[in-house]
Amino acid sequence: AMFGRVGGGIYTKAADVGADLVGKVVHGIPEDDPRNPATIADNVGDNVGDVAGMGSDLFGSFAESTCAALVIGSSIGLTGGWDAMVFPIIVSAVGVAVCLICSFLATNILPVKTEAGVENALKLQLISTTILMIPAVYGAAVGFLPGEFALNAAVGVDKTLTLHPWEAAVCVIMGAVGGLTIGLLTEYFTSHSYKPVREVANSCKTGAATNIIYGIALGYKSVIVPVIVLALVVYGSFTLCDMYGVALAAIGFLSNLATGLTIDVYGPVCDNAG
């Protein structure tokens, strides 16, 4: 993931700058003109850095979170059996199925007909997968987890917790809803459709100093709510299921990864197509 991210990023920036210098400055060729061979290198760099690199990075996070939950469940679990131990993998599988079902919203049920509708369609995908994950995760927890199962508390001496399927489901759901909240806030602070980015652009009119100061201040402001959301999710999941709940919440954050990765890849793919 690191080589894909860093290598692809450096490669595409070098190719992009080289193409602009040679094409625009020397020969007067427009940007991304097919007559400029460096455009091909720029597109390759976009694919390596933004598609392959990002995909491997997020898949690594997804696999690591799932494996961490498996390890925690097997190390502190006392009862529950095989079904309870592999519950994190079941959540991951449910997330893939939910993302696949919700993809038909954009392709068949509510297809995009105008350029202005692209942003709303992508946002609808993210929201719909999170909403559908709630009953799907609850059903998976009730179906695969026993009525009661015991865990050794990670904090505290000789403390045993008796848990129920709904508690494990709530931990995953808190993570999924928290991930959606952070995603929507990120879009609010980084999309030109909303006030913050327009204010940053407007601050450029009074000089570089105000632009830098306003941008830094806005960056600090943008992380307040995400940090609070993360703290609440960790606190709530730990209260319900100890460290096992925190691991399940982490999987909940990444449960609709297939949709999130599709939305992220949409940018570089369209950039290359244009």
Side-chain angles (χ1 to χ4, degrees):
M2 184 191 72
F3 284 111
R5 283 279 204 177
V6 178
I10 295 173
Y11 185 85
T12 189
K13 293 301 177 293
D16 194 12
V17 173
D20 289 342
L21 287 175
V22 176
K24 290 182 179 178
V25 179
V26 178
H27 298 287
I29 300 176
E31 185 176 359
D32 294 335
D33 193 283
R35 294 172 292 174
N36 190 349
T39 301
I40 300 174
D42 183 21
N43 292 344
V44 171
D46 286 337
N47 287 328
V48 175
D50 297 334
V51 179
M54 179 173 55
S56 58
D57 190 7
L58 293 177
F59 177 76
S61 301
F62 192 40
E64 290 156 9
S65 299
T66 305
C67 291
L70 290 173
V71 170
I72 292 174
S74 62
S75 61
I76 67 176
L78 298 176
T79 61
W82 177 256
D83 291 342
M85 193 187 76
V86 300
F87 178 65
I89 297 180
I90 295 170
V91 173
S92 302
V94 168
V96 173
V98 167
C99 291
L100 181 63
I101 293 172
C102 289
S103 67
F104 290 102
L105 282 174
T107 57
N108 297 88
I109 300 176
L110 296 172
V112 178
K113 297 181 179 179
T114 61
E115 183 178 349
V118 172
E119 183 177 352
N120 291 331
L122 296 177
K123 190 188 302 181
L124 176 63
Q125 290 287 297
L126 194 62
I127 296 174
S128 62
T129 51
T130 304
I131 293 175
L132 190 57
M133 276 297 295
I134 295 175
V137 167
Y138 181 79
V142 173
F144 286 93
L145 290 174
E148 286 186 355
F149 59 99
L151 294 176
N152 278 326
V155 179
V157 181
D158 298 330
K159 183 180 178 182
T160 303
L161 301 174
T162 301
L163 305 177
H164 303 86
W166 69 267
E167 293 170 315
V170 168
C171 291
V172 179
I173 292 170
M174 283 193 296
V177 175
L180 173 64
T181 304
I182 293 174
L184 294 178
L185 282 170
T186 301
E187 182 189 7
Y188 174 75
F189 280 102
T190 57
S191 174
H192 189 263
S193 302
Y194 302 100
K195 186 177 178 181
V197 174
R198 294 180 179 179
E199 288 181 345
V200 173
N202 191 53
S203 67
C204 297
K205 297 178 180 178
T206 54
T210 53
N211 181 30
I212 294 172
I213 294 171
Y214 194 91
I216 293 176
L218 191 63
Y220 289 151
K221 181 181 177 181
S222 67
V223 300
I224 295 175
V225 176
V227 168
I228 294 175
V229 170
L230 283 172
L232 290 176
V233 171
V234 171
Y235 177 80
S237 58
F238 186 85
T239 302
L240 286 175
C241 297
D242 206 75
M243 285 302 297
Y244 186 62
V246 177
L248 290 179
I251 297 177
F253 272 106
L254 299 168
S255 58
N256 55 356
L257 176 66
T259 295
L261 187 59
T262 302
I263 294 173
D264 288 337
V265 171
Y266 175 83
V269 169
C270 290
D271 183 27
N272 290 346

